[in-house]
Amino acid sequence: MAVSKNFFSVAVFFCLFSFSFIAGNGVEVTHDGRAIKIDGKSRVLISGSIHYPRSTPEMWPELIKKAKEGGLDAIETYVFWNAHEPSPRVYDFAGNNNLIKFLKTIKESGLYGVLRIGPYVCAEWNYGGIPVWVHNLPGVEIRTANRVFMNEMQNFTTLIVDMVKKEKLFASQGGPIILTQIENEYGNVISHYGDAGKAYINWCANMAESLKVGVPWIMCQEADAPQPMINTCNGWYCDNFEPNNPNSPKMWTENWVGWFKNWGGKDPHRTAEDVAYAVARFFQTGGTFQNYYMYHGGTNFGRTAGGPYITTTYDYDAPLDEYGNIAQPKWGHLKELHTVLKSMEETLTNGNVSETDFGNSFKATIYATNGSSSCFLSNTNTTTDAFLTFRGRNYTVPAWSVSLLPDCQHEEYNTAKVNVQTSLMAKNKTEEPIALKWIWRSENIDDALHGKSNVSANRLFDQKHKANDASDYLWYMTKIHVKHDDPVWSENMTLRINASGHVIHAFLNGEHIGSHWATYGIKNDKYEPKIKLKQGKNVISLLSVTVGLQNYGPYYDTWDSGLVGPVELVSVKGDETIVKDLSSHKWLYKVGLHGWDQEFFSEDSHYASHDKWESERLPTNRMLTWYKTTFNSPRGTDPVVVDLQGMGKGYAWVNGQNIGRIWPSYNAEEDGCSDEPCDYRGKYTNSKCVTNCGKPTQRWYHVPRSYFKEGANSLVLLAELGGNPSLVNFQTVVVGTVCGNAYEDKTLELSCQGRSISAVKFASFGDPKGVCGAFNNGSCQSNKDVLSIVQNACVGKEACSIDVSEKTFGPTTCGNLPKRLAVEAVC
Ligand SMILES: *[C@@H]1O[C@H](CO)[C@@H](O)[C@H](O)[C@H]1NC(C)=O
Ligand SMILES: *[C@@H]1O[C@H](CO)[C@@H](O)[C@H](O)[C@H]1NC(C)=O
Ligand SMILES: *[C@@H]1O[C@H](CO)[C@@H](O)[C@H](O)[C@H]1NC(C)=O
Ligand SMILES: *[C@@H]1O[C@H](CO)[C@@H](O)[C@H](O)[C@H]1NC(C)=O
Ligand SMILES: *[C@@H]1O[C@H](CO)[C@@H](O)[C@H](O)[C@H]1NC(C)=O
Ligand SMILES: *[C@@H]1O[C@H](CO)[C@@H](O)[C@H](O)[C@H]1NC(C)=O
Ligand SMILES: *[C@@H]1O[C@H](CO)[C@@H](O)[C@H](O)[C@H]1NC(C)=O
Ligand SMILES: *[C@@H]1O[C@H](CO)[C@@H](O)[C@H](O)[C@H]1NC(C)=O
Ligand SMILES: *[C@@H]1O[C@H](CO)[C@@H](O)[C@H](O)[C@H]1NC(C)=O
Ligand SMILES: *[C@@H]1O[C@H](CO)[C@@H](O)[C@H](O)[C@H]1NC(C)=O
């Protein structure tokens, strides 16, 4: 097999190459072909992505603490250029954008940092992180050998490096950052850019090197990364990956623990067993650095979601959920894996490697040093469990799993055997107020409906050009004079709009004639509303709405957005079709919405003052309407969500803070969910094990605790598509049900994460069947009252632990079958 052959050559060469970087009074970060070395010591490093703008500074310490408890050595983040430089040389490093504070929080926790500057980041982030003003610079071509772009990229990258250096945050200065990244997944698209792409990536490498950060640079998904850049792997599995240079260690920058979600998409789920399997396979095949993408996904607040059509939630099915809760079993199952891997650090980074092939995709890999050896037993067969005799001992390795034997004798861990609890989260309605009282006002669109604007052109513009990303909203307006003897006139006319959406609201002479959007906001969409023109002057007003700008693909930055045209009048008269192209008419443009400009959502805006709002005749299903209510801050410290069921598309603000795009009425696709329990075996893709078919893509929206204040709080909704706010309410997210599952000779631990266990609903020692929430007795079990034993040990306690053995639970009728204890409890 080519992969393992080359892998061995890497192992042989490991000690021949060693790279030194300037080290100040800090630690020295170097590497050889085996591993990253910190002060000369080769390391097994486990890292996890937490993107600072997807949570709040108030959440960071707790998220990083939970990451450390989960066994991480490092926190990785991108740097988000368009968040920091919204217009040229105007910078924002406040609040959620406080990069330096985030890095200092990592430092205080004692973890390392990995800084992926990009500054193109993809990341399901608006426009991949590149400011739209860069796109609008004369002569620019993005992500290629273009002077205008390279100047801007260098200017921003240098700014970030200088800020980080000034605070002494690179490891070479005594700070936490051990690795830096330039560009991002450029190898995925480089072939589309020809020689200019090659020249650009070489320039990126030289530019990065010239910044003298004192720690190694990485380039992910960059198969021809110029030295000394280390190319690294991104994907669901990276066991087959090999870096392009014998001096580069095998590193995995993005282990996708799940997937993101689009409006209309289902909830992704990747099992803990499969993530652990992918990690174990990576280390078995010579990997030494691995980063979870994401460890905490978080929330796309404001207008930061990429696209088109990325949801506000960026949960990613990560070990910490969107709100920062520990997601079990994923968090705990991986934590146990990390402990075992760390115990093998010396052999994994220095040991000689050999392999035994048992056939049927069963393998043993042995890492041996003079003093000790560590082994992996892998079964990559998707269906058949392996019964192996290895060095005189028998092992059962379930299909699609890896066993870790740190001493080559005892199985300390198997990726398919989950010994930690499963927590099912529940939403708990807050007490106050029982029903929210709403006031409302209209978005004033009179000017747009009359075609009034001082900005015009005799052509249709891409939305990025005219709106410059200052708003999702851009009005395209034109006036046409028709007479009944005009050849195009008929009773039966259509307006044919070639758009690259993502959403269009069409008005004719002040009347709404329809709204339109394409599934997932695909490009080159066509919208053809019927219209009835009157004699004389007619005003066509089209409100084009973007739902996150494209963030990925070759030349993604040039993908159209808005009404790119042609826009035509089409008239059918008998057999004859007459088309009148309006594209080079005089078009008037207006960016944004009045209510947004006047900050109806803000407490401070005098336009938002109470007397301008109406409390009577609360409208429902009325588009372009603003709603406002006040409420008390939910008690306690549990994470809070607002349930926006009943609302259509729009935006929501709490105390003036934009919590993101809302679209609760957009249902996920009907097809693709299964009633069968999710099978961890076999290669994961984002269509596997999905849930939430046919239900609202996103009904709940995270409101960080720090957005609340004492006394009256405000919630403002922009109902672009209408809706009915009467069902809107606030909820906390708490652990509802916990299930424990532990094999014989292990310990079962249950915890309600701060609450007490109120009841035990199920307990069986034997071979219980089913999944958390739907357990059943199996074919064999203990003859004792297992339920009472567990109730006595757990009810009333915040956490309990039980030794799983026949000593505790008595003999079973299971014979040689592996026995386990399964418990379901209520918090
Ligand atoms: C970035 O550009 C500005 C001018 O727009 C210049 O003043 C500044 O020095 C540049 N920064 C770097 C690091 O080149
Ligand atoms: C998996 O195991 C089965 C049964 O032992 C065997 O027939 C099959 O070839 C194996 N598959 C692979 C990919 O090794
Ligand atoms: C590792 O391999 C080298 C080269 O083949 C050999 O000299 C050395 O003895 C081996 N060490 C161990 C512990 O097997
Ligand atoms: C292993 O032992 C051999 C012979 O004693 C020695 O040359 C070699 O340096 C040792 N290797 C390690 C990694 O300790
Ligand atoms: C391993 O399994 C084989 C076949 O099932 C059996 O003959 C043998 O005794 C077992 N060895 C040990 C050490 O249990
Ligand atoms: C749910 O909220 C109610 C009050 O509305 C409270 O009494 C109860 O303790 C909460 N339950 C949990 C699990 O937080
Ligand atoms: C158009 O009007 C707005 C507000 O009335 C004003 O701020 C802007 O400068 C005007 N633009 C032009 C090109 O006259
Ligand atoms: C309008 O035109 C369409 C074809 O575009 C045709 O199907 C329809 O019957 C026409 N309606 C009238 C009222 O003429
Ligand atoms: C719509 O516009 C796109 C982008 O400009 C173009 O590729 C496509 O051919 C147009 N479609 C029609 C029907 O003109
Ligand atoms: C499982 O078996 C126990 C003991 O026989 C019995 O009390 C319990 O009701 C059974 N549970 C289910 C869910 O069938």
Side-chain angles (χ1 to χ4, degrees), residues 2 7 44 86 130 211 221 373 391 411 423 478 495 504 523 712 716 720 767:
F7 164 60
V44 158
I130 295 196
L211 296 173
Q221 293 288 101
S373 55
R391 296 187 167 184
E411 175 187 309
S423 302
T478 195
L495 190 61
I504 307 167
K523 13 182 213 179
V716 175
E720 175 192 325
D767 68 339

Side-chain angles (χ1 to χ4, degrees), residues 606-737:
H606 75 99
Y607 295 108
S609 71
H610 200 82
D611 57 356
K612 305 247 173 47
W613 297 73
E614 294 185 54
S615 54
E616 303 298 317
R617 300 173 293 115
L618 190 77
T620 57
N621 300 321
R622 183 179 185 283
M623 69 184 300
L624 293 169
T625 302
W626 294 83
Y627 293 99
K628 182 175 181 172
T629 190
T630 52
F631 62 97
N632 293 327
S633 161
R635 288 193 203 145
T637 55
D638 296 318
V640 178
V641 290
V642 57
D643 176 356
L644 293 175
Q645 62 172 312
M647 298 307 297
K649 183 181 183 298
Y651 271 94
W653 291 259
V654 170
N655 294 328
Q657 304 263 20
N658 188 331
I659 61 168
R661 289 192 189 94
I662 64 167
W663 204 341
S665 61
Y666 204 132
N667 284 350
E669 292 163 344
E670 294 283 346
D671 295 333
C673 296
S674 167
D675 294 333
E676 300 293 310
C678 172
D679 186 351
Y680 68 85
R681 297 176 305 177
K683 281 218 157 132
Y684 178 78
T685 72
N686 55 318
S687 59
K688 192 177 170 185
C689 299
V690 291
T691 57
N692 203 45
C693 285
K695 300 196 185 126
T697 311
Q698 190 182 350
R699 178 175 149 188
W700 291 278
Y701 296 80
H702 182 208
V703 187
R705 275 278 170 191
S706 59
Y707 288 5
F708 296 113
K709 57 183 186 186
E710 286 291 307
N713 289 256
S714 73
L715 170 67
V716 175
L717 304 176
L718 164 60
E720 175 192 325
L721 271 188
N724 178 353
S726 66
L727 292 175
V728 169
N729 69 92
F730 287 86
Q731 299 169 5
T732 54
V733 184
V734 296
V735 180
T737 296

Side-chain angles (χ1 to χ4, degrees), residues 57-309:
E58 291 77 6
M59 291 169 71
W60 297 338
E62 189 66 20
L63 294 174
I64 293 168
K65 181 166 159 256
K66 286 173 178 169
K68 189 176 184 182
E69 283 167 12
L72 298 201
D73 302 295
I75 304 295
E76 176 275 348
T77 185
Y78 279 130
V79 177
F80 298 87
W81 186 1
N82 56 4
H84 294 307
E85 195 174 354
S87 44
R89 312 301 177 254
V90 176
Y91 296 104
D92 179 354
F93 287 95
N96 298 357
N97 289 342
N98 196 335
L99 169 66
I100 295 298
K101 183 167 185 173
F102 183 71
L103 296 174
K104 286 183 173 171
T105 311
I106 294 172
K107 182 180 179 175
E108 279 153 24
S109 74
L111 294 184
Y112 295 125
V114 177
L115 192 64
R116 298 170 73 191
I117 300 176
Y120 165 72
V121 296
C122 188
E124 291 73 63
W125 186 266
N126 188 39
Y127 211 44
I130 295 196
V132 169
W133 61 259
V134 172
H135 162 84
N136 290 335
L137 291 173
V140 79
E141 282 179 78
I142 288 175
R143 297 182 80 203
T144 187
N146 169 278
R147 206 18 76 194
V148 182
F149 178 69
M150 293 189 300
N151 282 346
E152 289 301 331
M153 173 168 167
Q154 179 162 14
N155 194 286
F156 179 73
T157 306
T158 307
L159 176 94
I160 294 299
V161 167
D162 287 350
M163 281 176 73
V164 172
K165 269 190 190 165
K166 187 164 160 272
E167 301 290 342
K168 299 204 185 318
L169 289 167
F170 288 111
S172 49
Q173 305 171 293
I177 299 167
I178 54 169
L179 293 167
T180 41
Q181 180 182 302
I182 194 75
E183 247 294 338
N184 188 55
E185 297 189 340
Y186 195 66
N188 294 2
V189 298
I190 192 168
S191 62
H192 299 265
Y193 295 82
D195 290 344
K198 289 232 181 262
Y200 168 63
I201 209 68
N202 286 327
W203 172 84
C204 288
N206 288 331
M207 190 268 283
E209 275 296 293
S210 75
L211 296 173
K212 305 254 176 285
V213 295
V215 299
W217 284 96
I218 56 175
M219 275 186 172
C220 64
Q221 293 288 101
E222 187 55 63
D224 56 0
Q227 297 308 301
M229 305 286 116
I230 305 172
N231 78 316
T232 64
C233 184
N234 294 346
W236 281 303
Y237 306 91
C238 280
D239 44 331
N240 288 335
F241 168 77
E242 284 172 66
N244 65 341
N245 188 290
N247 183 46
S248 295
K250 175 168 170 170
M251 297 172 66
W252 190 0
T253 30
E254 292 188 12
N255 175 357
W256 302 330
V257 298
W259 201 237
F260 57 87
K261 196 160 71 161
N262 295 91
W263 299 111
K266 293 155 280 199
D267 283 3
H269 174 53
R270 187 178 181 198
T271 61
E273 291 93 327
D274 186 53
V275 179
Y277 168 82
V279 175
R281 284 287 297 152
F282 181 70
F283 283 92
Q284 178 180 11
T285 54
T288 49
F289 172 97
Q290 190 265 160
N291 176 71
Y292 295 104
Y293 189 97
M294 302 291 298
Y295 198 74
H296 171 254
T299 308
N300 293 313
F301 297 112
R303 302 180 54 247
T304 63
Y309 273 51

Side-chain angles (χ1 to χ4, degrees), residues 261-532:
K261 196 160 71 161
N262 295 91
W263 299 111
K266 293 155 280 199
D267 283 3
H269 174 53
R270 187 178 181 198
T271 61
E273 291 93 327
D274 186 53
V275 179
Y277 168 82
V279 175
R281 284 287 297 152
F282 181 70
F283 283 92
Q284 178 180 11
T285 54
T288 49
F289 172 97
Q290 190 265 160
N291 176 71
Y292 295 104
Y293 189 97
M294 302 291 298
Y295 198 74
H296 171 254
T299 308
N300 293 313
F301 297 112
R303 302 180 54 247
T304 63
Y309 273 51
I310 306 288
T311 52
T312 295
T313 176
Y314 195 65
D315 182 86
Y316 226 93
D317 199 30
L320 301 178
D321 73 11
E322 179 184 2
Y323 320 112
N325 294 308
I326 285 172
Q328 293 282 47
K330 202 172 268 184
W331 182 88
H333 191 48
L334 295 173
K335 175 188 163 93
E336 291 187 348
L337 173 58
H338 303 154
T339 307
V340 178
L341 284 170
K342 302 297 288 194
S343 76
M344 296 158 68
E345 184 170 64
E346 177 59 29
T347 48
L348 291 184
T349 55
N350 285 314
N352 283 358
V353 192
S354 57
E355 201 172 84
T356 308
D357 194 332
F358 299 94
N360 286 341
S361 307
F362 310 154
K363 276 187 182 144
T365 306
I366 303 110
Y367 284 83
T369 59
N370 285 352
S372 60
S373 55
S374 303
C375 295
F376 294 85
L377 300 179
S378 65
N379 178 357
T380 57
N381 197 305
T382 54
T383 50
T384 309
D385 295 346
F387 301 98
L388 305 178
T389 305
F390 174 66
R391 296 187 167 184
R393 290 169 188 260
N394 287 345
Y395 300 90
T396 305
V397 186
W400 202 255
S401 82
V402 181
S403 292
L404 277 68
L405 288 51
D407 61 356
C408 288
Q409 293 181 24
H410 299 95
E411 175 187 309
E412 288 280 322
Y413 185 89
N414 174 277
T415 59
K417 298 175 187 167
V418 177
N419 287 302
V420 299
Q421 75 179 34
T422 296
S423 302
L424 303 181
M425 304 308 285
K427 308 236 169 35
N428 195 22
K429 271 201 180 175
T430 56
E431 298 154 55
E432 300 175 283
I434 303 297
L436 297 165
K437 251 181 86 75
W438 294 91
I439 53 177
W440 68 282
R441 62 192 293 187
S442 302
E443 167 66 19
N444 184 348
I445 58 172
D446 292 348
D447 283 356
L449 297 185
H450 289 106
K452 280 195 206 157
S453 170
N454 57 1
V455 182
S456 69
N458 287 329
R459 57 165 292 193
L460 288 161
F461 275 106
D462 181 286
Q463 186 148 347
K464 288 188 287 301
H465 184 87
K466 276 291 161 212
N468 205 18
D469 204 30
S471 172
D472 288 2
Y473 300 93
L474 178 66
W475 288 97
Y476 291 72
M477 301 161 281
T478 195
K479 293 166 193 167
I480 41 175
H481 292 263
V482 282
K483 294 192 183 135
H484 281 188
D485 57 6
D486 192 313
V488 77
W489 192 87
S490 79
E491 295 275 356
N492 188 7
M493 293 177 77
T494 307
L495 190 61
R496 190 154 73 192
I497 305 170
N498 183 14
S500 280
H502 312 126
V503 173
I504 307 167
H505 305 295
F507 299 82
L508 173 66
N509 298 327
E511 298 288 327
H512 178 229
I513 56 171
S515 294
H516 171 87
W517 53 91
T519 310
Y520 299 132
I522 53 164
K523 13 182 213 179
N524 299 342
D525 184 29
K526 219 183 262 170
Y527 174 41
E528 303 181 80
K530 296 240 172 269
I531 57 168
K532 272 199 180 332

Side-chain angles (χ1 to χ4, degrees), residues 521-552:
I522 53 164
K523 13 182 213 179
N524 299 342
D525 184 29
K526 219 183 262 170
Y527 174 41
E528 303 181 80
K530 296 240 172 269
I531 57 168
K532 272 199 180 332
L533 296 184
K534 63 182 188 195
Q535 282 254 39
K537 192 178 96 170
N538 293 270
V539 183
I540 296 174
S541 311
L542 304 170
L543 179 58
S544 171
V545 189
T546 50
V547 188
L549 296 175
Q550 184 71 27
N551 56 258
Y552 179 72

